[in-house]
Amino acid sequence: MNPARQALLRKLPGVDHLLNLAAADTAFADIPKTVLTSAVRRVLSRYRNAILADDPAMTDAEIADAALLAEIAQTTRATMALNLTRTINATGVVVHTNLGRSLLAQPAVDHILSIAGRYSNLEYNIAAGKRGSRYSLVEDLICEISGAEAAMVVNNNAAAVLLSLDTIARNREVIVSRGELVEIGGSFRIPDVMAKSGAILKEVGTTNRTHPADYQRAITPETGLLLKVHASNFGMVGFTASVSLADLVALGEKYGLPVMEDLGSGTFVDFSRYGLTKEPTVQESVAAGVDIVTFSGDKLLGGPQAGIIVGTKPIIDKIKQNPLTRALRIDKMTLAGLESTLRLYRDEKTAVAAIPTLRMLTCPMPDIAARAEALKSMIDAMADSRVSAALRDLPSRAGGGALPLLELPSRGVGITISNMNAAMIENRMRRQSPPIIGRIIDDLYLMDMRTVQTDELPEILFAIQTLLKGDQHAQP
Ligand SMILES: *Cc1c(COP(=O)(O)O)cnc(C)c1O
C-alpha cells in the first residue's frame, strides 16, 4: 500500500475516541447514543473509503478531530430531522397530491390540536352517558350542507367507493360507461376497485359516446347498480355523449335499481360562480336523486384526507353495518379537521375566505401579482449581483385530478443565478429548509405565487441567501 495512504489511515481516530469527544461536547447532548455511534461509524467509513480511493480532499487537516466532529454533527442532524416535513409549494398546483393535497383552514388545525393530546367524546354520547358513534359527529353537518338524507365518512374516497360497491353490489353486475372507467393515479382504477369489492363490471357504450339505451339494454336480473364516475382528471372533446344524471336516475327508478355516483373531487361550491370551470356539486347530485354519492375530503373540499358518502338512509344504514367499515374507519384527528372544515361551509363566503384550497383557487390576480412583486422587491433589495428576479405570467392548475382543463392565469417569480442553470437552482431550492418546490419553464426556474403563502416569502428569501452562501443543507 502506498505510504501516504497508510499514514492517513493510521491518523484516522477510532470510534471510542470520537465517542468520548462527543460526550464532552454539548452539541451532542440531545443525541441518543445509538444515533451517535452509527453516525461516527458512517463518517469513519466514508473517510476510510475516500483515503483508499486517493481522494485529494483527504489531508491531515481534513482528518483532524474537529473536522470529523463537524461531519458527525451534520450526520446526526440529518438523522434526527423529521422525515415528514413541511414544504413550500411554488408549483402553482393547488391540490398537489405529492405535497399533501389540501392545507387545512385554521379552525380545523386548532380543532385537531385540541383533540390530539386529550381524551375526547369520539365514541361517547355525553348527553346519554354511554357509548356513541364516531360517525354521528359529522353526519348531520354533511346532510345539512348537501341536502342528503344520511351520510357516512371513511378514510378516503377510494375506501368510500370500495365500501359502497361491496355493500350494494357484491356478486352483482354494475353497469358503467366505457368512457368513465378512469384511472385516478397511484393505481386507483375503477375496474380494479370493482373487482376487489366483488362487484362484476359491465361496461356499456364506447369510449367517447354512451347513451341511456346502452344502459337499458345491459340491465338484467343480475344487475345490482348503475354507476356514474366523474371523469375528474381528464377532459373529452369532440364527438362525445354521456348519460345525464337525470336520465340515469330515471332508469334506476324504472328498473328499481340504485344509482351511485363517484364524484371524485366533490365540491359544495359552484366554481362557475367564481369564473372557473363548472365542476358538478354534491348538492346537485343529491338533488338529482342519486342514491349514493362518494367524494374526497381533501381535494376541492379543502379538508383532511377522508372519503364522504352521502345517500338515502336505507343504503347508508346498510353501509354502516358492513364489517369493512371497521377496517376503513376514520381517525379522530381527521374527524376533528373534517368537522371544523364542514362548519365553514354553512356560509359560502366564510368557506371561500377561510379554506386555503378555495382561497387559492379563487385568488384574484392582483393579489397574486402583489405577492410576486413583493418577493421580487425583496430579492432586488439584496442587491447581490449574482442573482436576479423577473416576473412572468404562467398558468396554475387545480390539481388533485380536478378541473383538468382549467388553466388559472397566475404570476411567478423567475430566478436566475450566475453560474447555475435552472436545473441546479431547482435542485438547491429543494434542499433548503423548508424545501421549496418550484418548476422550470423554458429554462427558467419559476415560483408560482398562487400557491405560496404570504408568510413564506421571507423563507424563500432566506433560502436564496443560503443557497448563494453555498450552504445547501445537502442531504447526506
Ligand atoms: C381522487 C378520486 C378517487 C380517490 O379518492 P381519494 O380520496 O384519493 O382516495 C376516486 N374516484 C375519483 C373519480 C377520483 O377523482
Coordinates of all heavy atoms in Angstrom, one line a residue, residues 101 156-158 184 188 229-230 232 262 264-265 296 298-299 306, ligand 1:
R101 N -51.8 17.5 -0.8 CA -53.2 18.0 -1.2 C -53.6 19.3 -0.5 O -53.0 20.3 -0.7 CB -54.2 16.9 -1.0 CG -54.1 15.8 -2.1 CD -55.4 15.0 -2.2 NE -55.2 13.9 -3.2 CZ -56.0 12.9 -3.2 NH1 -56.9 12.7 -2.3 NH2 -55.8 12.0 -4.1
N156 N -60.7 7.5 3.1 CA -60.5 8.3 1.8 C -61.6 7.9 0.8 O -62.4 7.0 1.1 CB -59.1 8.2 1.3 CG -58.7 6.7 1.0 OD1 -59.6 5.9 0.8 ND2 -57.5 6.4 0.9
N157 N -61.6 8.6 -0.3 CA -62.7 8.3 -1.3 C -62.5 6.9 -1.9 O -63.5 6.3 -2.3 CB -62.7 9.4 -2.3 CG -63.9 9.2 -3.3 OD1 -65.0 8.8 -2.8 ND2 -63.7 9.5 -4.5
A158 N -61.3 6.5 -2.1 CA -61.1 5.1 -2.6 C -61.8 4.1 -1.7 O -62.5 3.2 -2.2 CB -59.6 4.8 -2.7
I184 N -57.2 7.0 -11.5 CA -57.0 8.3 -10.8 C -55.6 8.5 -10.6 O -55.2 9.7 -10.4 CB -57.7 8.2 -9.4 CG1 -59.2 7.7 -9.6 CG2 -57.7 9.5 -8.7 CD1 -60.0 8.5 -10.5
F188 N -55.2 3.6 -8.7 CA -56.6 3.5 -8.3 C -57.3 3.5 -9.7 O -57.5 4.5 -10.3 CB -57.1 4.7 -7.5 CG -58.6 4.6 -7.2 CD1 -59.0 4.0 -6.0 CD2 -59.5 5.2 -8.0 CE1 -60.4 4.0 -5.7 CE2 -60.9 5.1 -7.7 CZ -61.3 4.5 -6.6
V229 N -69.1 7.6 -12.9 CA -67.9 8.0 -12.3 C -67.6 9.4 -13.0 O -67.5 9.5 -14.2 CB -66.7 7.0 -12.6 CG1 -65.4 7.5 -12.0 CG2 -67.1 5.6 -12.1
H230 N -67.3 10.4 -12.1 CA -67.0 11.7 -12.7 C -65.6 11.6 -13.3 O -64.6 11.3 -12.5 CB -67.1 12.7 -11.6 CG -66.7 14.1 -12.1 ND1 -67.3 14.6 -13.3 CD2 -65.9 15.0 -11.6 CE1 -66.8 15.8 -13.4 NE2 -65.9 16.1 -12.4
S232 N -62.9 13.0 -13.5 CA -62.4 14.3 -12.9 C -61.1 14.7 -13.4 O -60.8 15.9 -13.5 CB -62.4 14.1 -11.4 OG -61.7 12.9 -11.1
D262 N -69.6 8.4 -8.3 CA -68.3 8.7 -7.6 C -67.9 10.0 -8.2 O -67.5 10.1 -9.3 CB -67.3 7.6 -8.0 CG -65.9 8.0 -7.5 OD1 -65.8 8.9 -6.7 OD2 -64.9 7.4 -7.9
G264 N -65.4 11.9 -7.2 CA -64.0 12.1 -7.1 C -63.7 13.3 -6.2 O -63.8 13.2 -5.0
S265 N -63.4 14.4 -6.8 CA -63.1 15.6 -6.0 C -64.3 16.0 -5.1 O -64.1 16.2 -3.9 CB -62.9 16.8 -7.0 OG -61.5 17.1 -6.9
S296 N -64.1 13.0 -2.1 CA -62.9 13.1 -1.3 C -63.0 14.3 -0.3 O -63.7 15.3 -0.6 CB -61.6 13.4 -2.1 OG -61.1 12.3 -2.6
D298 N -60.2 15.8 0.9 CA -59.0 16.7 0.8 C -58.7 17.1 -0.7 O -57.6 17.6 -0.9 CB -57.8 16.0 1.4 CG -57.5 14.6 0.7 OD1 -58.3 14.1 -0.1 OD2 -56.4 14.1 1.0
K299 N -59.7 17.0 -1.6 CA -59.4 17.6 -2.9 C -60.1 19.0 -2.9 O -59.7 19.8 -2.1 CB -60.0 16.7 -4.0 CG -59.1 15.4 -4.1 CD -59.6 14.6 -5.3 CE -58.9 13.3 -5.5 NZ -59.6 12.4 -6.5
A306 N -60.2 12.1 3.6 CA -61.4 11.4 4.1 C -62.2 11.1 2.8 O -62.0 11.6 1.8 CB -62.2 12.3 5.0
Ligands
LIG1 C1 -59.5 11.1 -6.5 C2 -60.5 10.1 -6.9 C3 -60.8 9.0 -6.1 C4 -59.9 8.6 -5.0 O1 -60.1 9.5 -3.9 P1 -59.1 9.5 -2.7 O2 -59.7 10.4 -1.7 O3 -57.8 10.0 -3.2 O4 -59.0 8.1 -2.2 C5 -61.8 8.2 -6.6 N1 -62.5 8.5 -7.7 C6 -62.3 9.6 -8.4 C7 -63.2 9.8 -9.6 C8 -61.3 10.5 -8.0 O5 -61.1 11.6 -8.7

